[in-house]
Amino acid sequence: MKRRCSISEDMDLKGLIMKAAEFHGHLGPFLVLGIRAGLIGLRELAPEKFRQMHVTVKLNPSVPFSCFIDGIQVTTKCTVGNGLLRLESSREGISARFEIHSSQRVLTITVRSKVLKYLMEMFSKGASNERLAWEIASLPEEKLFTKENGG
């Protein structure tokens, strides 16, 4: 039986979030959004081996939005350095396009605009990064993202 590339079965979401926060330097909601999006990409496309999946992230390349990128990197192992992660500047939301080139499978995951608006509103009210991160971790993925299969 073929083993698919995925996050270790013994690492739960909380453990993965803590690992990503250590890598990133702090815990915040955009990091967790990237983790959650990366996990969906892995689950939905199920790459069979490392380097089979490529990711293109479109976002505003400034903090806090860019924290999403580190969540993608930690979960998928696709990085700018290994050539598997491409970044595109966009002023219109946050999305990640996951591609398996050998099979032409594509999945685009977009953070819902109401989630982005909510987070920015909460930041303006002084909400803590950590509290918002754990809130994002606890929400069902359909409340956070839209998914689109294909090109």
Side-chain angles (χ1 to χ4, degrees), residues 5 42 47-55 76-85 99-102:
C5 284
L42 287 171
E48 294 182 7
K49 59 186 176 183
F50 178 66
R51 300 193 67 79
Q52 188 179 24
M53 186 164 70
H54 296 242
V55 182
T76 66
K77 307 298 184 233
C78 295
T79 69
V80 173
N82 67 21
L84 300 177
L85 176 62
E99 299 178 64
I100 305 289
H101 289 292
S102 61

Short mmCIF file of all heavy atoms in Angstrom, two decimals, residues 5 42 47-55 76-85 99-102:
data_model
loop_
_atom_site.label_atom_id
_atom_site.label_comp_id
_atom_site.label_asym_id
_atom_site.label_seq_id
_atom_site.Cartn_x
_atom_site.Cartn_y
_atom_site.Cartn_z
N CYS A 5 2.20 11.46 1.39
CA CYS A 5 2.87 12.50 2.17
C CYS A 5 1.83 13.19 3.03
O CYS A 5 0.79 13.59 2.54
CB CYS A 5 3.50 13.55 1.26
SG CYS A 5 4.99 12.99 0.46
N LEU A 42 -3.00 19.25 1.66
CA LEU A 42 -2.44 17.91 1.78
C LEU A 42 -3.52 16.84 1.80
O LEU A 42 -3.41 15.81 1.13
CB LEU A 42 -1.59 17.79 3.05
CG LEU A 42 -0.25 18.50 3.05
CD1 LEU A 42 0.36 18.47 4.44
CD2 LEU A 42 0.70 17.88 2.03
N PRO A 47 -0.55 14.23 -1.95
CA PRO A 47 0.65 13.93 -2.74
C PRO A 47 1.31 12.65 -2.24
O PRO A 47 1.33 12.37 -1.05
CB PRO A 47 1.55 15.14 -2.50
CG PRO A 47 1.05 15.78 -1.25
CD PRO A 47 -0.42 15.46 -1.17
N GLU A 48 1.82 11.87 -3.18
CA GLU A 48 2.43 10.58 -2.83
C GLU A 48 3.88 10.72 -2.42
O GLU A 48 4.43 9.82 -1.80
CB GLU A 48 2.29 9.60 -3.98
CG GLU A 48 0.84 9.24 -4.24
CD GLU A 48 0.68 8.24 -5.36
OE1 GLU A 48 1.70 7.71 -5.86
OE2 GLU A 48 -0.47 7.99 -5.74
N LYS A 49 4.51 11.81 -2.80
CA LYS A 49 5.91 11.99 -2.43
C LYS A 49 6.23 13.48 -2.33
O LYS A 49 5.54 14.33 -2.90
CB LYS A 49 6.83 11.31 -3.44
CG LYS A 49 6.68 11.82 -4.85
CD LYS A 49 7.51 11.03 -5.83
CE LYS A 49 7.22 11.54 -7.24
NZ LYS A 49 7.90 10.81 -8.24
N PHE A 50 7.29 13.75 -1.60
CA PHE A 50 7.79 15.11 -1.45
C PHE A 50 8.18 15.64 -2.83
O PHE A 50 8.61 14.89 -3.69
CB PHE A 50 9.00 15.10 -0.51
CG PHE A 50 9.63 16.45 -0.32
CD1 PHE A 50 8.94 17.47 0.32
CD2 PHE A 50 10.90 16.70 -0.80
CE1 PHE A 50 9.51 18.71 0.48
CE2 PHE A 50 11.48 17.94 -0.63
CZ PHE A 50 10.79 18.95 0.01
N ARG A 51 7.99 16.90 -3.03
CA ARG A 51 8.31 17.63 -4.25
C ARG A 51 7.28 17.42 -5.35
O ARG A 51 7.43 17.91 -6.46
CB ARG A 51 9.72 17.33 -4.77
CG ARG A 51 10.81 17.69 -3.78
CD ARG A 51 12.19 17.69 -4.40
NE ARG A 51 12.38 18.74 -5.38
CZ ARG A 51 12.63 20.03 -5.11
NH1 ARG A 51 12.72 20.43 -3.87
NH2 ARG A 51 12.80 20.90 -6.08
N GLN A 52 6.22 16.69 -5.07
CA GLN A 52 5.18 16.49 -6.07
C GLN A 52 4.19 17.65 -6.08
O GLN A 52 3.61 17.97 -7.10
CB GLN A 52 4.44 15.18 -5.80
CG GLN A 52 3.48 14.78 -6.88
CD GLN A 52 2.78 13.48 -6.56
OE1 GLN A 52 2.67 13.08 -5.40
NE2 GLN A 52 2.31 12.81 -7.58
N MET A 53 4.02 18.30 -4.92
CA MET A 53 3.07 19.38 -4.80
C MET A 53 3.78 20.73 -4.84
O MET A 53 4.84 20.90 -4.26
CB MET A 53 2.28 19.25 -3.48
CG MET A 53 1.17 20.27 -3.37
SD MET A 53 -0.04 19.89 -2.09
CE MET A 53 0.93 20.18 -0.63
N HIS A 54 3.16 21.66 -5.55
CA HIS A 54 3.63 23.04 -5.62
C HIS A 54 2.51 23.94 -5.12
O HIS A 54 1.34 23.64 -5.34
CB HIS A 54 3.99 23.42 -7.06
CG HIS A 54 5.12 22.63 -7.61
ND1 HIS A 54 6.31 23.21 -8.00
CD2 HIS A 54 5.27 21.31 -7.84
CE1 HIS A 54 7.13 22.27 -8.43
NE2 HIS A 54 6.51 21.11 -8.35
N VAL A 55 2.88 25.03 -4.47
CA VAL A 55 1.89 25.95 -3.92
C VAL A 55 2.19 27.37 -4.39
O VAL A 55 3.36 27.79 -4.39
CB VAL A 55 1.88 25.92 -2.37
CG1 VAL A 55 0.79 26.84 -1.82
CG2 VAL A 55 1.70 24.50 -1.84
N THR A 76 3.27 21.99 4.61
CA THR A 76 3.46 21.33 3.32
C THR A 76 4.92 21.03 2.99
O THR A 76 5.18 20.23 2.09
CB THR A 76 2.91 22.19 2.17
OG1 THR A 76 3.69 23.40 2.08
CG2 THR A 76 1.44 22.51 2.37
N LYS A 77 5.84 21.69 3.66
CA LYS A 77 7.28 21.63 3.35
C LYS A 77 7.59 22.25 1.99
O LYS A 77 8.68 22.09 1.45
CB LYS A 77 7.83 20.20 3.40
CG LYS A 77 7.55 19.47 4.71
CD LYS A 77 8.17 20.17 5.88
CE LYS A 77 7.96 19.39 7.15
NZ LYS A 77 7.38 20.15 8.22
N CYS A 78 6.62 22.97 1.42
CA CYS A 78 6.86 23.75 0.22
C CYS A 78 7.38 25.11 0.67
O CYS A 78 6.72 25.81 1.43
CB CYS A 78 5.56 23.94 -0.56
SG CYS A 78 4.86 22.41 -1.22
N THR A 79 8.59 25.46 0.22
CA THR A 79 9.19 26.72 0.63
C THR A 79 9.70 27.47 -0.60
O THR A 79 9.88 26.87 -1.67
CB THR A 79 10.38 26.50 1.60
OG1 THR A 79 11.46 25.89 0.89
CG2 THR A 79 9.98 25.64 2.79
N VAL A 80 9.95 28.75 -0.42
CA VAL A 80 10.55 29.53 -1.50
C VAL A 80 11.93 28.96 -1.80
O VAL A 80 12.32 28.81 -2.96
CB VAL A 80 10.63 31.02 -1.11
CG1 VAL A 80 11.42 31.80 -2.15
CG2 VAL A 80 9.24 31.60 -0.93
N GLY A 81 12.67 28.60 -0.76
CA GLY A 81 14.03 28.08 -0.92
C GLY A 81 14.11 26.79 -1.72
O GLY A 81 15.06 26.60 -2.48
N ASN A 82 13.14 25.88 -1.54
CA ASN A 82 13.21 24.63 -2.30
C ASN A 82 12.46 24.72 -3.63
O ASN A 82 12.36 23.74 -4.36
CB ASN A 82 12.75 23.42 -1.47
CG ASN A 82 11.28 23.41 -1.11
OD1 ASN A 82 10.45 24.06 -1.74
ND2 ASN A 82 10.95 22.67 -0.08
N GLY A 83 11.93 25.90 -3.94
CA GLY A 83 11.30 26.13 -5.23
C GLY A 83 9.88 25.61 -5.36
O GLY A 83 9.30 25.66 -6.44
N LEU A 84 9.31 25.12 -4.27
CA LEU A 84 7.96 24.55 -4.33
C LEU A 84 6.88 25.54 -3.91
O LEU A 84 5.70 25.25 -4.01
CB LEU A 84 7.87 23.30 -3.46
CG LEU A 84 8.83 22.16 -3.85
CD1 LEU A 84 8.70 21.01 -2.88
CD2 LEU A 84 8.58 21.71 -5.28
N LEU A 85 7.29 26.72 -3.46
CA LEU A 85 6.35 27.76 -3.04
C LEU A 85 6.64 29.03 -3.83
O LEU A 85 7.78 29.49 -3.89
CB LEU A 85 6.49 28.05 -1.55
CG LEU A 85 5.65 29.20 -0.99
CD1 LEU A 85 4.16 28.91 -1.14
CD2 LEU A 85 5.98 29.42 0.48
N GLU A 99 -1.04 22.45 -6.35
CA GLU A 99 -1.02 21.71 -7.62
C GLU A 99 -0.19 20.45 -7.50
O GLU A 99 0.90 20.48 -6.93
CB GLU A 99 -0.41 22.56 -8.73
CG GLU A 99 -1.15 23.83 -9.03
CD GLU A 99 -0.45 24.62 -10.12
OE1 GLU A 99 -0.38 24.12 -11.27
OE2 GLU A 99 0.03 25.72 -9.80
N ILE A 100 -0.73 19.37 -8.04
CA ILE A 100 0.03 18.13 -8.21
C ILE A 100 0.28 18.02 -9.71
O ILE A 100 -0.63 17.72 -10.48
CB ILE A 100 -0.75 16.88 -7.71
CG1 ILE A 100 -1.19 17.05 -6.27
CG2 ILE A 100 0.08 15.62 -7.93
CD1 ILE A 100 -0.07 16.98 -5.26
N HIS A 101 1.50 18.29 -10.12
CA HIS A 101 1.79 18.39 -11.56
C HIS A 101 1.64 17.07 -12.29
O HIS A 101 1.19 17.05 -13.43
CB HIS A 101 3.18 18.97 -11.78
CG HIS A 101 3.25 20.41 -11.44
ND1 HIS A 101 2.60 21.38 -12.16
CD2 HIS A 101 3.86 21.07 -10.43
CE1 HIS A 101 2.81 22.56 -11.62
NE2 HIS A 101 3.57 22.40 -10.57
N SER A 102 1.96 15.97 -11.67
CA SER A 102 1.91 14.68 -12.36
C SER A 102 0.48 14.28 -12.73
O SER A 102 0.28 13.49 -13.64
CB SER A 102 2.55 13.59 -11.49
OG SER A 102 1.84 13.47 -10.27
#
